[in-house]
Amino acid sequence: MLFETLKPLVINLLSDSQTSVTDRLQQVCDLLKERIAYYDWVGFYFKNGDKKELILKTYAGDTTDHTVIPFGKGICGQVALSNENFVVPDVQAQDNYISCSINVKSEIVIPLFKDGENIGQIDIDSNTPDPFSEDDERFLEFVNQEVARIL
Ligand code: SME
C-alpha cells in the first residue's frame, strides 16, 4: 500500500545529515504532494519561539498568504492549542477556517510533538472532498515522529 511504500522514502530523506533540516523538510513536502494524488498542498508550520503564533517553514503547492497564523485562528491555530489531530472533510462547514484557495475542499492537520511538546504541525489541503481516512492520520503521525528526531 502507498503509505507503506512512502515510509522508508521519508526515513531516507530525513536521515541525510549532509542536507539542512529545512531542505529535508522541503523534500518531504515535495514527496508527499507528488506521490499522494489528493494531497494538493503540504506544509510544515512551527511555533515561533515564545510567541503565540505559527510560522510556515516549508511547503509544496501554491504560494499562500498565511505564513503566520495566530494560535486559535483557523484549523492550524486550533491544533496549536488542542494538541489533537483535526480532520476537516468539508472546509466550508467550518466557521474558524482560514481559506488559502477557493479550490481547497478539505484539510488535515496533525500536531508534531518533540519531547512531549506540541511544537508545530503538518498541514495538508486537498481539492477533493472528504478524502482523508485514519490511514492518513497514522501515516502523518509517523512522518511527524520521524521529523521530530532531526529537530
Ligand atoms: N487552512 C488553514 C490555513 C493554512 S492553509 O491551509 C495553507 C487553516 O484554516 O488554519
Side-chain angles (χ1 to χ4, degrees), residues 20-68:
S20 71
V21 167
T22 301
D23 286 352
R24 282 182 263 173
L25 293 180
Q26 181 65 55
Q27 288 170 9
V28 170
C29 292
D30 292 339
L31 175 77
L32 300 193
K33 180 179 180 296
E34 194 174 300
R35 296 292 291 272
I36 304 171
Y38 54 94
Y39 284 18
D40 292 294
W41 190 95
V42 179
F44 285 103
Y45 284 92
F46 288 96
K47 292 186 175 176
N48 184 15
D50 291 337
K51 292 188 185 168
K52 302 239 173 279
E53 65 185 22
L54 296 160
I55 302 280
L56 181 60
K57 190 172 177 72
T58 59
Y59 68 95
D62 291 344
T63 306
T64 176
D65 291 337
H66 305 292
T67 55
V68 181

Side-chain angles (χ1 to χ4, degrees), residues 105-116:
K105 299 285 194 299
S106 55
E107 178 163 8
I108 183 170
V109 180
I110 306 292
L112 194 158
F113 299 96
K114 174 80 179 174
D115 300 329

Side-chain angles (χ1 to χ4, degrees), residues 41 45 64 69 73-76 97-98 100 107 123 125:
W41 190 95
Y45 284 92
T64 176
I69 298 179
K73 300 283 184 196
I75 308 303
C76 296
Y97 168 70
I98 302 166
C100 285
E107 178 163 8
D123 175 20
D125 286 344

Side-chain angles (χ1 to χ4, degrees), residues 105-144:
K105 299 285 194 299
S106 55
E107 178 163 8
I108 183 170
V109 180
I110 306 292
L112 194 158
F113 299 96
K114 174 80 179 174
D115 300 329
E117 187 192 348
N118 178 359
I119 60 162
Q121 52 196 235
I122 190 167
D123 175 20
I124 318 289
D125 286 344
S126 178
N127 300 343
T128 302
D130 195 12
F132 301 114
S133 70
E134 288 188 9
D135 290 342
D136 292 271
E137 290 187 71
R138 301 293 88 77
F139 173 66
L140 295 170
E141 288 166 358
F142 166 85
V143 171
N144 282 353

